[in-house]
Amino acid sequence: MKIFKDRKNLQNEILNTKGISFVPTMGGLHKGHISLIKKSKKTKLKTLVSIFVNPKQFNEKKDFISYPRNQKKDLKILKNLKVDYLYLPSIKDIYSFKPKNKVFLDKFSKQLCGKYRKGHFPGVLNVVNRFLDIIKPKKLFMGKKDFQQLYLVKKHIIKRKINTKIVECETIREKNGVACSSRNYRLNLKHKKVASKIFHFLKKIKYKFNFINPNLLKKEIIKLGANKIDYIEFYNIRSFKRSKKLDKNNRIFIAYFLNNVRLIDNV
Ligand code: AMP
């Protein structure tokens, strides 16, 4: 695995390849990231993973500072997976040039997480636009756990006519049902049990009811042990409009807190 900290050196190297399959991450690697990387490795392209905790997408400085980082463990995982390239840029390397494309921010960025984390999606799209400019990947692997992020990146790529294909990957879960997340490293055993109960509760609701008032769900989830809920809403994943039904295309989207850790999921 070749490691690059400087975009120019990285570009010199990857210009000579047949094409790049790109897996952007913020590190704190877990089974979710690993599944994306394994899928990427199955393409005929070279796999490039980035680890960059992007300060611009954190609406709270405290959250940025406490975001789980474990570079030693991450490097070991990536080497074992035989990743071709790792890009570990500094903030300066990412933000000291002008990308060719302007960010396109679809109006869906104002809903769900966008309503509660001001500046989050502009920050995400800013960094993704820069990565796409530097790497020009043929394929980009992203997870459905961050459904809204995936949708917004897709819209940006289409609108700016960028020649990158997004590969949408299913959410990987722990045995207890909780979606794998770097933020889970900040949960204790008690929190993990609550998160598991919340997931199983939502799954039951989803398959038992065609509709239920989300406000009723809020009360139940607080009773299960969540400290605070930012939102719990139903959305149609084709139209990306709020929905009143629950079925395969209409999912429950949730963001809630356990202790001070903010978790998101869609079921
Ligand atoms: P992050 O490091 O949290 O920014 O995530 C990097 C990529 O991994 C994003 O495309 C996420 O959607 C994806 N990802 C994170 N958690 C999971 C998961 N549990 N299952 C599948 N993909 C995931």
Side-chain angles (χ1 to χ4, degrees):
M1 181 173 77
K2 287 191 180 170
I3 302 176
F4 295 89
K5 295 190 172 174
D6 177 284
R7 66 171 191 275
K8 299 237 166 69
N9 292 339
L10 173 73
Q11 285 173 320
N12 281 340
E13 168 82 24
I14 62 181
L15 267 179
N16 302 318
T17 64
K18 273 197 216 138
I20 294 293
S21 173
F22 178 39
V23 187
T25 83
M26 297 209 295
L29 299 183
H30 52 68
K31 283 190 291 182
H33 297 120
I34 292 171
S35 85
L36 263 59
I37 294 167
K38 283 190 173 161
K39 287 214 173 77
S40 166
K41 290 275 301 172
K42 286 199 180 127
T43 66
K44 294 205 172 71
L45 308 167
K46 295 275 188 196
T47 291
L48 190 162
V49 175
S50 66
I51 297 181
F52 181 61
V53 186
N54 173 31
K56 289 196 193 286
Q57 72 185 68
F58 286 83
N59 50 322
E60 282 184 19
K61 204 168 172 194
K62 236 167 63 190
D63 190 27
F64 171 66
I65 290 165
S66 60
Y67 193 83
R69 293 163 172 88
N70 195 341
Q71 210 184 89
K72 217 169 140 189
K73 184 174 159 216
D74 288 350
L75 283 180
K76 207 169 149 196
I77 292 173
L78 296 174
K79 275 183 194 157
N80 282 338
L81 288 168
K82 298 194 169 50
V83 162
D84 299 292
Y85 305 119
L86 169 62
Y87 181 30
L88 277 175
S90 63
I91 293 175
K92 189 166 164 241
D93 202 46
I94 291 291
Y95 287 108
S96 62
F97 72 99
K98 192 169 180 287
K100 184 179 134 249
N101 290 306
K102 225 180 116 197
V103 163
F104 173 76
L105 201 60
D106 186 86
K107 62 181 187 309
F108 186 49
S109 63
K110 303 266 189 299
Q111 297 176 45
L112 299 172
C113 284
K115 229 191 291 178
Y116 293 88
R117 298 186 73 190
K118 293 278 172 260
H120 171 63
F121 287 123
V124 169
L125 269 295
N126 186 349
V127 79
V128 170
N129 187 39
R130 286 166 185 275
F131 274 126
L132 295 178
D133 196 302
I134 296 168
I135 297 161
K136 298 182 178 51
K138 286 201 173 143
K139 291 192 173 173
L140 172 64
F141 284 75
M142 299 190 83
K144 290 188 191 175
K145 181 187 157 266
D146 302 276
F147 221 106
Q148 203 176 2
Q149 166 176 286
L150 177 58
Y151 175 90
L152 293 172
V153 171
K154 211 154 68 178
K155 284 279 170 182
H156 168 74
I157 285 179
I158 293 169
K159 198 80 179 176
R160 297 296 178 239
K161 300 188 172 69
I162 297 169
N163 194 14
T164 298
K165 184 183 179 305
I166 294 202
V167 183
E168 303 181 13
C169 303
E170 294 304 322
T171 299
I172 304 298
R173 297 181 179 278
E174 306 288 353
K175 278 203 191 83
N176 65 6
V178 179
C180 299
S181 163
S182 308
R183 291 177 189 274
N184 295 355
Y185 291 119
R186 294 183 55 214
L187 301 177
N188 65 27
L189 205 65
K190 198 180 115 206
H191 298 138
K192 283 183 185 161
K193 279 192 183 148
V194 174
S196 172
K197 276 189 201 160
I198 291 174
F199 167 71
H200 287 291
F201 172 70
L202 292 177
K203 211 171 134 192
K204 199 171 90 191
I205 293 294
K206 163 99 191 234
Y207 291 104
K208 228 171 155 177
F209 296 96
N210 295 325
F211 177 73
I212 184 163
N213 184 342
N215 285 329
L216 280 179
L217 295 186
K218 254 185 200 169
K219 281 187 197 147
E220 287 305 312
I221 288 165
I222 294 287
K223 267 195 224 160
L224 288 175
N227 302 112
K228 189 175 108 174
I229 299 173
D230 268 355
Y231 60 77
I232 173 156
E233 288 178 26
F234 306 160
Y235 265 79
N236 183 296
I237 55 165
R238 306 243 171 262
S239 65
F240 276 86
K241 296 218 159 59
R242 270 174 93 160
S243 119
K244 287 197 181 287
K245 305 194 283 193
L246 281 176
D247 59 23
K248 143 165 146 305
N249 288 326
N250 293 281
R251 301 179 71 93
I252 306 174
F253 284 75
I254 186 167
Y256 67 97
F257 288 83
L258 280 179
N259 210 9
N260 282 321
V261 184
R262 187 177 188 273
L263 301 173
I264 61 168
D265 202 352
N266 60 86
V267 179

